[in-house]
Amino acid sequence: MQAHRRWLLAIPVLIFVAIPTLVTPQEEERNPRGGDPEAEGSEVHELPETVVVSERATPSAGTIRSVRANGALVSEGRTAGEMVRHLPSVMTGGPPGENRDVRLRGMDKEFSQILVDGHPFPDGGQKREIKLDRFPMDLVERIDLIRNPSAEFGGHGIAGTVNIILRRPPEGPEFRARTLYGPDSQRNLFFSAGTSWGPWGLLTSFSQLLEQPQKDKRENQRVYLANDSVKESRGIVEREQSRSASNTGTAAIDYWIDAETRLHGRVVALAYDESKDKDRTDRRYNASGVLTQTDVTREREIKNEDATDWLLGVERRTGEADRLAFSLGYAEGEESKDKGTELVRNGVFNNRTREFERKPEYLFNAQFDWAAEHDGGLDGVFKTGLLFDVRDRSQRRRTFSTNAAGLETNTTKSVNQYDLRERIHAWYLLDEWEAIPDTLFLSPGVRVEWTDLRSFSGSGGSDRNRFEDTMPSAHLLWHSTAQLDVEASCRRSLQRPQFDHVVPSREETATEIKEGNPALSPALSENYEVGFTHRLAGFRWGANTFYRDIDDLIAERDVGNDPTTGKRVLRRENVGPAQVRGIELEARAGPEAWGLTANWSRLDSETEDDLSDQTGSLKEMPSWTGNLILDLRAQDRWWFQATAHMIGPQGGTEFTRTQTTRKTRESYEQIDMAFRGHLPKGWAVLVRANDVFGASRREEIEFKRNLANLERTDTDRVEEGRDPGVWVGVEWKY
């Protein structure tokens, strides 16, 4: 382990062990019912101004971890992906140095549920993910991480739910404008304007981010025969240069019919354009080390992603908890791609391919929620609701190949053409009981979802799959003392199959056949959480442990050889059980002038195939994650912040009938710094340094064993992301 990694890991230990002995208990007033922080009388556990994440203790969802745009972390010019990764057990996927899709508890992105204002959002991803780097934090009020959601939330999301809450109209006139400039002509522009007058409220915002990320990859590969003698070796060098423009705009409007009833609407529009140039050189050597083949591949790609999301709702509140709400949402998005690849082998043109792809998606949802207080034997709040979700999704991919003689061939495959029609009906029932006044809250609930999924392949095949899932939940919140809160929860949830895996398709290559599986069922999970939060004067710490007992895990399985061609057949199936477990530690210390925050999580998983009895682990799960945040500030004058985001070693073993693959990725960290200096008349100067030590680097080792001829392939792989960069800018706020 490198020296600077050692002290990074030592600081959380000092915080958790040493600081509690230096502080004394202090009484706190709090609202026992908790609730939304915007609601009157709700509980927000925040240390003065500097806390990185706020905690909202609610009877039905336990403690919700939140990142706020105007709170803890310097958010100017940052994306939702850059901010949310500082929460416990959260990491982001994408190339080194980038923060695209969120991964909770170290699990892959298909295990998480990502919502925008409580509704799904179109993003073009096959795994129902949302790219968080498309959402600037300037447009976001807060991001909620709900570890084990109650029955109010959709069943998809075994790892948890992330809900992005967009900004609403301000209470008075507000105007903000900012510009940031980074290296290589990168820049960020933002402005927003809003006000309220009479019963009306209005807010408009726009953000533009221009970037030029770069990725380098080096790979050394060596193939050994069964007797461990060298068969051949390869050296691969790859450089990728991208240019991207992300434009995001929002508009929100409120109208108060009376003091209890509000009409609200908002629209979000995203436009993302990217051009990418990638050059790859692959050199092959024989057993004697003599160069035998050189392949040079040049790839050019243009990608466009567009999405528009409309939401219209009405909400009526007649008491502290009495609420009636109805909302309608419509969204459409499309991802298109134009990619060309040219291969030159040993200095001579070999072939050229061209690929055109479109993935349109349309979403419609209607939701009704009702909540009412009740008293009698047990005081509490009764909640129920109905939901109807429609998702129509298509993919059209056409491919063409030109050989060395210049002859072009249409190589389009039916497997790359499909249509999906998904309909989800849901009903939930939840009751929040105040079992002991101001002390103990219990929240039993149940959610039922009916899913109707139709799939159509490009070859003319079609299929229909219907399933019903009943998902009970129970949450406990105990205010044990003025300083100690204890929470526990259990919930059944599911992981819906990846879109392209349920299409009735069949793709044949030179060595294998891949089949879709329309009968694929969701993976089901029993989720358990137990944790506590302890507050002292100037210090707060807590721990949480979780366990996921998954059944019918979805994975690719080797189902045998095709009787006609003899090729092996691979198909996505419900292969068997899996367990995911971990512990999360959090601490925060410091007065108003400074603060130090840390969290550290230990993660582990185990999978099992019912047919082969082979065990393994979930793909790319790290053994631990951690964050450190240091705040230094002089009130109303300046604010300095340094953050360290750390990911432990990642690895796992995959088994098939013909080979065994074991991967190990080294631990890595990214350290960022930010400074904000306040100037007269609403002006501020901003300085931001990303990845100051150039740690956007990932090292990976892979061992692959062919079980037929016992050949072994060893690969050393190094990926490096964007270089360290400093952004400088100014902001004006009225």
Side-chain angles (χ1 to χ4, degrees), residues 379-398:
D379 293 342
V381 180
F382 175 84
K383 298 181 179 181
T384 188
L386 299 170
L387 173 71
F388 176 55
D389 265 349
V390 173
R391 185 190 295 263
D392 291 343
R393 178 185 174 88
S394 301
Q395 176 176 290
R396 298 291 182 269
R397 183 187 301 167
R398 297 177 296 127

Side-chain angles (χ1 to χ4, degrees), residues 633-639 675-679 683-685:
R633 70 167 68 190
Q635 191 70 24
D636 299 327
R637 287 181 294 172
W638 56 267
W639 182 9
F675 174 83
R676 178 187 179 92
H678 295 276
L679 302 174
W683 287 91
V685 60

Side-chain angles (χ1 to χ4, degrees), residues 234-448:
R234 298 172 65 183
I236 300 173
V237 178
E238 183 178 292
R239 164 156 290 194
E240 179 180 294
Q241 179 67 58
S242 301
R243 292 164 293 279
S244 64
S246 181
N247 297 282
T248 309
T250 64
I253 188 170
D254 286 345
Y255 177 72
W256 290 89
I257 299 175
D258 54 41
E260 300 173 339
T261 309
R262 177 176 66 105
L263 289 173
H264 58 92
R266 66 112 174 100
V267 60
V268 182
L270 280 72
Y272 178 80
D273 302 302
E274 181 185 52
S275 62
K276 185 187 304 180
D277 296 330
K278 182 162 64 176
D279 295 323
R280 184 175 190 266
T281 302
D282 181 357
R283 295 182 173 87
R284 294 175 179 264
Y285 303 85
N286 61 19
S288 301
V290 178
L291 179 64
T292 59
Q293 181 176 300
T294 301
D295 288 344
V296 177
T297 304
R298 298 182 177 90
E299 181 181 299
R300 305 293 181 264
E301 179 181 321
I302 298 176
K303 179 188 292 186
N304 307 103
E305 299 177 18
D306 301 292
T308 306
D309 182 26
W310 301 79
L311 183 64
L312 179 65
V314 58
E315 181 182 39
R316 180 174 177 81
R317 291 182 178 269
T318 57
E320 182 180 350
D322 295 340
R323 176 177 178 266
L324 184 67
F326 177 73
S327 63
L328 290 173
Y330 174 76
E332 57 182 44
E334 180 173 314
E335 179 181 308
S336 61
K337 181 170 63 176
D338 179 355
K339 183 169 71 173
T341 305
E342 182 178 278
L343 172 63
V344 175
R345 176 164 293 167
N346 296 328
V348 180
F349 170 73
N350 186 272
N351 67 76
R352 181 185 300 113
T353 61
R354 193 75 182 270
E355 176 184 320
F356 304 92
E357 183 180 68
R358 289 181 60 248
K359 291 190 289 188
E361 187 172 22
Y362 304 91
L363 302 176
F364 170 79
N365 60 76
Q367 185 166 335
F368 167 81
D369 298 283
W370 177 60
E373 287 189 283
H374 63 78
D375 52 19
L378 288 175
D379 293 342
V381 180
F382 175 84
K383 298 181 179 181
T384 188
L386 299 170
L387 173 71
F388 176 55
D389 265 349
V390 173
R391 185 190 295 263
D392 291 343
R393 178 185 174 88
S394 301
Q395 176 176 290
R396 298 291 182 269
R397 183 187 301 167
R398 297 177 296 127
T399 56
F400 302 87
S401 178
T402 303
N403 62 17
L407 179 63
E408 184 178 78
T409 305
N410 187 339
T411 55
T412 302
K413 299 179 180 179
S414 61
V415 69
N416 295 321
Q417 329 296 320
Y418 69 78
D419 297 281
L420 291 175
R421 306 288 183 263
E422 185 180 65
R423 307 291 183 263
I424 300 176
H425 301 73
W427 166 81
Y428 75 87
L429 182 66
L430 184 69
D431 205 355
E432 299 178 352
W433 300 336
E434 191 173 356
I436 301 177
D438 301 341
T439 302
L440 181 64
F441 300 88
L442 302 174
S443 301
V446 64
R447 185 182 185 90
V448 184

Side-chain angles (χ1 to χ4, degrees), residues 23-234:
V23 295
T24 58
Q26 175 178 320
E27 292 290 327
E28 271 188 35
E29 293 185 2
R30 63 168 171 272
N31 169 25
R33 184 169 296 283
D36 192 278
E38 275 66 53
E40 183 179 355
S42 66
E43 173 188 13
V44 182
H45 298 311
E46 289 194 38
L47 294 177
E49 296 290 329
T50 58
V51 65
V52 172
V53 295
S54 63
E55 300 176 352
R56 295 182 289 129
T58 67
S60 60
T63 302
I64 300 175
R65 298 299 189 269
S66 298
V67 171
R68 293 180 174 276
N70 60 350
L73 287 164
V74 179
S75 61
E76 287 84 359
R78 298 188 184 273
T79 66
E82 291 177 282
M83 299 289 284
V84 75
R85 65 189 175 134
H86 294 292
L87 293 173
S89 298
V90 177
M91 57 182 290
T92 53
E98 300 184 35
N99 304 277
R100 292 187 176 176
D101 48 79
V102 65
R103 306 184 184 200
L104 306 180
R105 270 66 190 273
M107 305 169 72
D108 206 357
K109 51 191 174 185
E110 67 262 32
F111 291 95
S112 303
Q113 177 177 227
I114 314 297
L115 305 173
V116 178
D117 287 331
H119 295 261
F121 191 88
D123 195 304
Q126 300 280 16
K127 299 183 177 182
R128 303 173 187 265
E129 76 273 17
I130 294 178
K131 300 180 183 68
L132 295 187
D133 61 346
R134 305 293 191 266
F135 286 89
M137 281 300 296
D138 297 302
L139 312 182
V140 175
E141 176 66 27
R142 70 177 190 268
I143 304 174
D144 287 347
L145 169 60
I146 309 171
R147 290 166 160 171
N148 201 17
S150 68
E152 287 183 87
F153 291 87
H156 179 75
I158 291 175
T161 294
V162 173
N163 190 14
I164 302 172
I165 309 296
L166 300 179
R167 295 179 62 207
R168 302 300 308 169
E171 295 182 357
E174 175 187 289
F175 181 82
R176 293 174 60 199
R178 183 186 62 251
T179 178
L180 277 168
Y181 288 89
D184 301 323
S185 301
Q186 300 181 102
R187 71 172 184 265
N188 170 243
L189 303 176
F190 166 74
F191 77 85
S192 72
T195 190
S196 295
W197 70 99
W200 294 92
L202 179 66
L203 175 69
T204 60
S205 304
F206 173 79
S207 176
Q208 181 186 70
L209 180 62
L210 305 181
E211 294 186 291
Q212 299 190 49
Q214 179 178 300
K215 184 176 73 174
D216 293 323
K217 183 167 73 173
R218 300 184 301 277
E219 187 174 300
N220 295 312
Q221 190 177 98
R222 183 164 290 188
V223 180
Y224 297 90
L225 298 173
N227 61 4
D228 286 337
S229 62
V230 177
K231 177 182 178 182
E232 63 175 357
S233 59
R234 298 172 65 183

